[in-house]
């Protein structure tokens, strides 16, 4: 079952040029042991995907794109389609809060992108999460409900098995550097949100789908808080931003995912 493995995703956002990405990958590859119980995915700049896909050992790391356009081809200047990414990446981050809030991506865009990824054999990682003001207004569950209902509309139960949901509370995201000191939810709060997400999936797709879907936590995850989140009920991995840009820090997070699951199996 897919939830037997922890999933650790490094979202490099708009950091590292092609050369830096290649050097970083080389360094990280020397630090990270291949583990059967941990899947590691890297989401570099779009520009570096092609070269990293040649450099990478896919048994050790997989690649994700940070965004894609939902049409397969055509007159869409500046966009890159899932069809073009097919074979280069295994995963696509879809509906990241920075896409939603800075670039005005709507739930309909998110839905279209998920479907585009699926029809091109790319596994979507659907990001959901409330802003600080939505949290202050007690709207977290409503926001998550709407984002899940809209993002997963028209998906079949079979397609859902290829989808991962990432809970990324917008207020907990670091600026890329302050990930060690930025406020985050408590692991038990992340666990109750994961339970809420599974209830929504249950309503939409049934019990099996709800217990099988992978749910990640993201927002200032680092080597100190990783074990707490990874040990929280219903959390299957981490979507890491700032801390994934530091090879030492990121490799420690990966090692914690392995250690945590080794303890859990005892
Ligand atoms: P930080 O880990 O820097 O808060 O970023 C999280 C994130 O947005 C990952 O997609």
């Amino acid at each position: 079952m897919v939830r037997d493995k922890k999933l650790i995703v490094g979202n490099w956002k708009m950091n590292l040029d092609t050369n830096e990405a290649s050097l970083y990958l080389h360094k990280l590859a020397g630090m990270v042991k291949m583990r059967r119980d941990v899947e590691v995915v890297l989401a570099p700049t779009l520009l570096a995907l092609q070269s990293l896909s040649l450099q990478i050992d896919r048994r050790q790391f997989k690649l994700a794109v940070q965004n894609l356009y939902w049409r397969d081809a055509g007159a869409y200047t500046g966009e890159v389609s899932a069809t073009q990414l097919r074979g280069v990446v295994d995963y696509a981050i879809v509906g990241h809060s920075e896409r939603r809030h800075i670039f005005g991506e709507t739930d309909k865009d998110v839905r279209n992108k998920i479907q585009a990824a699926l029809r091109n054999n790319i596994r979507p990682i659907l990001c959901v999460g409330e802003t600080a003001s939505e949290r202050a207004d007690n709207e977290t569950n409503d926001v998550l409900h709407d984002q899940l209902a809209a993002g997963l509309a028209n998906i079949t139960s079979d397609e859902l098995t290829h989808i991962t949901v990432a809970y990324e509370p917008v207020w907990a995201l670091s600026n890329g550097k302050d990930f060690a000191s930025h406020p985050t939810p408590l692991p038990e709060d992340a666990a109750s949100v994961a339970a809420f997400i599974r209830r929504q999936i249950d309503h939409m797709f049934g019990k099996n789908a709800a217990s099988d879907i992978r749910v990640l936590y993201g927002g200032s995850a680092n080597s100190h808080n990783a074990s707490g989140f990874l040990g929280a009920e219903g959390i299957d991995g981490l979507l890491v931003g700032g801390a994934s840009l530091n090879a030492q820090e990121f490799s420690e997070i990966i090692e914690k995912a392995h250690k945590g699951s080794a303890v859990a199996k005892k």
Side-chain angles (χ1 to χ4, degrees):
M1 171 168 134
V2 69
R3 289 191 62 205
D4 287 344
K5 272 189 182 189
K6 292 289 185 197
L7 178 62
I8 306 292
V9 185
N11 177 7
W12 299 354
K13 306 191 180 181
M14 201 174 70
N15 296 292
L16 307 187
D17 65 22
T18 310
N19 285 334
E20 289 166 338
S22 172
L23 287 172
Y24 178 90
L25 175 64
H26 182 73
K27 186 169 169 192
L28 191 68
M31 298 171 104
V32 170
K33 295 201 182 74
M34 288 190 213
R35 305 285 196 189
R36 273 169 199 271
D37 54 2
V38 185
E39 183 177 358
V40 182
V41 177
L42 305 173
T45 166
L46 186 63
L47 211 55
L49 280 175
Q50 181 75 42
S51 53
L52 293 195
S53 78
L54 302 175
Q55 182 182 341
I56 217 160
D57 178 344
R58 288 196 180 206
R59 290 168 305 173
Q60 188 176 25
F61 301 121
K62 296 200 169 58
L63 291 175
V65 68
Q66 296 175 17
N67 180 37
L68 48 76
Y69 189 54
W70 58 274
R71 300 267 192 195
D72 286 338
Y76 304 103
T77 300
E79 296 296 328
V80 174
S81 71
T83 312
Q84 293 170 315
L85 290 157
R86 195 188 175 107
V88 179
V89 297
D90 288 291
Y91 289 90
I93 299 173
V94 178
H96 192 281
S97 60
E98 287 149 16
R99 301 288 329 158
R100 293 179 191 261
H101 298 297
I102 304 174
F103 300 101
E105 214 166 274
T106 64
D107 281 330
K108 186 162 173 243
D109 296 325
V110 172
R111 168 159 77 238
N112 285 333
K113 289 178 180 199
I114 288 189
Q115 287 168 4
L118 289 170
R119 71 175 175 267
N120 286 286
N121 275 344
I122 297 172
R123 295 168 181 266
I125 300 172
L126 168 61
C127 300
V128 296
E130 79 287 4
T131 62
S133 66
E134 288 162 345
R135 178 179 185 233
D137 292 343
N138 256 329
E139 289 173 357
T140 300
N141 286 358
D142 293 341
V143 170
L144 296 179
H145 169 272
D146 292 352
Q147 290 176 338
L148 289 167
L152 300 176
N154 308 328
I155 295 289
T156 64
S157 300
D158 194 40
E159 287 170 331
L160 189 77
T161 62
H162 301 295
I163 297 179
T164 298
V165 174
Y167 171 53
E168 293 213 308
V170 183
W171 53 270
L173 299 202
S174 82
N175 64 12
K177 297 198 168 65
D178 62 347
F179 56 81
S181 57
H182 200 281
T184 67
L186 295 169
E188 49 269 38
D189 295 336
S192 41
V193 172
F196 178 80
I197 290 171
R198 290 187 200 283
R199 282 203 295 283
Q200 291 311 304
I201 301 290
D202 183 358
H203 288 152
M204 294 174 75
F205 299 95
K207 278 219 162 357
N208 289 348
S211 65
D212 288 351
I213 195 159
R214 284 196 294 198
V215 178
L216 311 183
Y217 167 76
S220 300
N222 59 51
S223 62
H224 296 287
N225 61 24
S227 297
F229 287 118
L230 289 165
E233 180 79 33
I235 300 284
D236 303 306
L238 298 170
L239 181 47
V240 187
S244 74
L245 292 166
N246 178 319
Q248 179 64 37
E249 182 75 14
F250 193 52
S251 64
E252 280 176 32
I253 293 174
I254 295 165
E255 198 52 24
K256 296 220 155 122
H258 164 66
K259 292 223 170 88
S261 61
V263 170
K265 282 199 186 98
K266 275 192 185 154

